[in-house]
Amino acid sequence: MSPSGLTLLDNMLSMQRWPEKCWALLQLLLVVSVSQAEELVCRRRGDPENPQLSTDGDIMLGGIFPFHSSWKTRQDTYMHKPLPLQCTSLNFRGFQYAQAMRFAIEEINNRTDLLPGVSLGYKIYDACRSMVRAVRVTLALTNGNEVLSAPSKAPCTRPAQVQAIIGEASSSPSMAIATVIGPFHMPVISHFATCACLSDKTKYPSFLRTIPSDYYQSRALAQLVRHFGWTWVGAIRTNGDYGNNGMATFTETAQRLGICLEYSVSLFRTDPPDKIQKIIDIIKASTSKVIVTFLSPADIDMLIHEMSHHNLTGYQWVGTEAWIFDPQTAAMDKHHILDGAIGLSIPKAHVSGMREFMLDVKPLSSSGDEVFTEFWEKLFSCKFKQSKSSAENQRECTGHEDLTGVQNSFTDMSPMPIFNNIYKGVYAVAHALHRILCCNKTCNNKVALDPFTILQHIKIIHFKTKEGDEVYFNENGDPAAKYEIINWQPTENGIVDFVTVGFYDASLPADKQLNLQNKSLIWANNSQQVPVSVCSVKCPPGTRKVLQKGKPVCCYDCLTCAEGEISNITDSITCVQCHPEFWSNERRDACVKKEAEFLSYQEIMGALLTAASLLGTCITAVVASIFFRYSKTPVVRANNSELSFLLLFSLTLCFLCSLTFIGRPSKWSCMLRHTAFGITFVLCISCVLGKTIVVLMAFRATLPGSNVMKWFGPAQQRLTVLAFTFVQVIICILWLTISPPFPFKNFKQFEDRIILECTLGSAVGFWAVLGYIGLLAMLCFILAFLARKLPDNFNEAKFITFSMLIFCAVWITFIPAYVSSPGKFSVAVEIFAILASSFGLLICIFFPKCYIILVKPEKNTKKNMMGKGGPKPF
């Protein structure tokens, strides 16, 4: 005892009465004596766990496989020590896994080039597909069951009992094992745990596997679904790490590929019936025809059993490597619910000698364990005498039964790829040991082995098996991801044929990873046609997708593109605006060049205006010829015949300038049409104004003592016309210099066609030209109006007044009509105004004279022209 303890004891004795002191001392001495007599040892807590299969060797390997697929549930009261887990449902597949490991170890032990002189042993445990039991047997593999003596102050440690562990088959138990064993850096190599989460080396530093990660399988499944155009699918997963993680990666990849999940549900084989019924109801109510699964064989078996009760057939199943190549699952599908299923499987493999070894098993020579005895009894449907469950009506087992002719899941070698994974895992450990022990012809047995060193060497091994398979691990402890694409094709005798229809290799470029062969596939209901599973049919070109409110992105309506917009691809999400010079066709799937609209000679309106222009030109020419023929007559000479001929010339130009407004606008035609119009009309109005002034001057000259005419003779008249016209020429030059008219494509006025027009350039220039013409016309009108009642038998001022009245009326109405007329009609309005005003001048001024010249020649005398109060010509 420590000094402090003795002091405390003395105080106690001094404070208590003598009997009590004696009793306390006796108790203390008894405790001390017992503690000194107890031996210092290290013991394993709880009941010992013995392996189901074991063989001694120089170096031991551990194996954890599911010899049973379930266990009995019990309610613990926590009033007494819980009983050991009671496993049920013997699983032949677990025994196949164990046989594959034993085959690899025996083959290595028989080789002289790998670990010469070193024998490998094994301890194989049944995990019963229970995470709790998997952890328990893992600790048994590392610690052992023996009692270890140790000095009082020495730590209770020992070397690991095995150097590496092969297993487990499922992801969740593997995660539990890797979590427990990870801190000790003991290698754990799984042959069938595919959860992508196990690639996380921060959580599972010592975990490796010889089967690809579900990260690649999930992405491959999404690409496979997208390849067949299935964008609306259902998803069912095992409620465990395998199913949840695998489906999460699939969902993420599917969303990027435009695939939507109508539903995503989870189940587990121990779920209550009401939960399974809810899943059945969801499937019944769904509209998707494709079901993507991440299910274990036990879960898929349970699901199709329930679906058969509700006659749920006709669905296209997409499966993973867990069941897509499993004959047991195919045998369970008696109602052919899974016929036509497609999915990914581990590539086929062959290991020479493994089949013969696995089928050559004897219970008495292999092990005396009850589990192996149970296996033998189920394999041959017999009972040993010592068996607790033996019955009188069952055949007695001799231990020498022959597997020849036996057909069951144990003799089925279709899972050979999985057995090959176990084979490669054992060989990976052997190659690492071979390097650590510096083996050549012999191995250095003095090298101290520790799991950490073995783990580091396993990570860097790279070798080929005897069948030529490459074995290596990447930085995450995963092998290369390669899959076969399997299609369930039922045969005439009802047996499913697993047909390889393609491959997936994650090491290839993205566009070459999925490779489907030209083989005929069988789909659900034995159909030859690829099933259609979409929420909404594809939107054809000419439409765009509009999402339905509250539904996934795969559910949409197809909306026709607006005018001027197109979509030329299927399932377009937007409509593209056509270039301004193009317009959408009726189907809205292509942009066609817009029709260019301008006033052309070929159309009726253009032809009529051209005819009117030429008619006016011809009439003017005829009038000019008449005036020229009768130039010496009083009617022609009455009012400055020179101005009359100049007026007729300007009218001819006015008629002809209207032709510049017809046809496709060009740079020169745009500049010519407005300037020619402005100058010719000013020349015309100037001549009329000159004639009006001459009339006024002529009558004023008849007054006594007036000599006005000498100030406004022919020279002054020509100069006046020239001066008025020169002003317009200056305006036009400034207009063309500063901002001339130019051809312009008007896209805004009409959406479906282009208006080719001449833009004014400078609106000020245009209105200045028109304003100047209007100013001269108003001045001419006022002067003519003032002279209309001057006495004469032929007073030309009256006709000038009428002509100016028509001219002004035409151009006043022109302005609102021009502004409001669309496209080529505005050009037609301008041409009409030019022709109407020109015809007005021609008719009002010259037709009365032509009438007298041709029809009333008797009035074409000087006496009649100068007569006062005589009869009027009209």
Side-chain angles (χ1 to χ4, degrees), residues 403-708:
L403 282 173
T404 303
V406 176
Q407 295 292 331
N408 54 33
S409 57
F410 183 78
T411 60
D412 175 29
M413 292 294 124
S414 60
M416 184 60 72
I418 307 173
F419 307 156
N420 187 40
N421 288 344
I422 298 173
Y423 180 82
K424 290 189 288 189
V426 175
Y427 263 86
V429 177
H431 277 274
L433 291 171
H434 188 85
R435 295 182 61 178
I436 295 171
L437 298 177
C438 304
C439 298
N440 192 0
K441 292 184 178 180
T442 59
C443 297
N444 185 2
N445 294 326
K446 295 182 179 180
V447 175
L449 296 175
D450 66 279
F452 180 77
T453 304
I454 298 174
L455 175 63
Q456 299 307 313
H457 278 78
I458 292 176
K459 288 180 178 180
I460 61 174
I461 56 99
H462 195 148
F463 65 94
K464 286 187 177 182
T465 66
K466 63 182 181 180
E467 309 297 342
D469 296 334
E470 278 192 285
V471 180
Y472 62 92
F473 303 97
N474 63 15
E475 64 277 5
N476 295 322
D478 299 327
K482 295 180 181 180
Y483 299 96
E484 289 182 357
I485 301 173
I486 301 298
N487 179 222
W488 282 33
Q489 299 189 3
T491 58
E492 294 180 357
N493 56 8
I495 299 175
V496 172
D497 188 12
F498 302 113
V499 179
T500 301
V501 295
F503 300 92
Y504 180 87
D505 190 345
S507 63
L508 297 176
D511 59 335
K512 297 181 180 178
Q513 291 177 350
L514 188 66
N515 179 22
L516 284 166
Q517 299 172 341
N518 294 325
K519 289 187 178 181
S520 59
L521 280 76
I522 300 297
W523 305 102
N525 292 329
N526 290 331
S527 173
Q528 301 287 334
Q529 298 294 326
V530 179
V532 176
S533 185
V534 295
C535 182
S536 301
V537 296
K538 290 181 178 294
C539 287
T543 62
R544 64 183 177 91
K545 296 196 295 188
V546 179
L547 298 182
Q548 296 178 1
K549 188 175 181 180
K551 291 188 177 181
V553 295
C554 298
C555 300
Y556 48 82
D557 297 317
C558 299
L559 197 65
T560 303
C561 293
E563 291 186 346
E565 297 181 347
I566 66 156
S567 65
N568 54 8
I569 59 173
T570 303
D571 275 349
S572 175
I573 59 175
T574 58
C575 293
V576 180
Q577 185 76 36
C578 289
H579 187 272
E581 294 191 13
F582 291 82
W583 191 248
S584 57
N585 60 2
E586 291 185 2
R587 296 189 301 272
R588 305 286 197 274
D589 59 357
C591 288
V592 294
K593 195 170 182 63
K594 287 182 180 178
E595 180 184 354
E597 183 179 277
F598 58 91
L599 189 61
S600 67
Y601 295 102
Q602 286 76 25
E603 60 181 296
I604 296 177
M605 185 167 58
L608 291 175
L609 291 173
T610 302
S613 174
L614 295 177
L615 177 63
T617 303
C618 293
I619 293 174
T620 305
V622 170
V623 171
S625 64
I626 292 173
F627 267 55
F628 183 77
R629 170 71 178 77
Y630 298 95
S631 61
K632 302 298 183 180
T633 60
V635 171
V636 176
R637 297 181 62 190
N639 196 353
N640 197 335
S641 60
E642 185 177 345
L643 283 181
S644 296
F645 282 108
L646 186 59
L647 178 58
L648 288 170
F649 173 72
S650 64
L651 283 173
T652 303
L653 294 180
C654 288
F655 282 118
L656 292 176
C657 82
S658 64
L659 298 178
T660 62
F661 289 82
I662 304 175
R664 179 182 287 271
S666 64
K667 178 181 178 182
W668 294 106
S669 67
C670 287
M671 290 191 294
L672 178 63
R673 64 172 57 171
H674 289 102
T675 54
F677 153 72
I679 293 172
T680 55
F681 260 77
V682 165
L683 178 61
C684 180
I685 300 301
S686 299
C687 293
V688 176
L689 183 60
K691 292 175 70 68
T692 306
I693 296 174
V694 167
V695 171
L696 287 174
M697 294 298 108
F699 280 98
R700 189 169 289 276
T702 60
L703 297 176
S706 176
N707 57 355
V708 175

Side-chain angles (χ1 to χ4, degrees), residues 256-334:
R256 290 201 301 268
L257 296 177
I259 302 168
C260 299
L261 270 62
E262 183 179 11
Y263 59 87
S264 181
V265 295
S266 63
L267 61 86
F268 197 70
R269 53 189 173 275
T270 58
D271 285 341
D274 58 335
K275 183 176 180 180
I276 304 300
Q277 183 59 45
K278 287 181 180 179
I279 295 175
I280 298 297
D281 293 338
I282 290 173
I283 297 174
K284 280 183 177 180
S286 66
T287 58
S288 58
K289 297 301 179 183
V290 175
I291 301 176
V292 180
T293 66
F294 259 90
L295 293 171
S296 66
D299 293 335
I300 189 75
D301 292 345
M302 182 265 294
L303 179 62
I304 61 174
H305 178 71
E306 291 295 328
M307 290 183 69
S308 66
H309 292 162
H310 295 82
N311 195 26
L312 285 178
T313 59
Y315 291 93
Q316 179 61 47
W317 293 83
V318 180
T320 59
E321 89 299 330
W323 64 268
I324 199 67
F325 200 70
D326 186 13
Q328 294 183 30
T329 301
M332 290 285 294
D333 185 22
K334 300 184 183 302

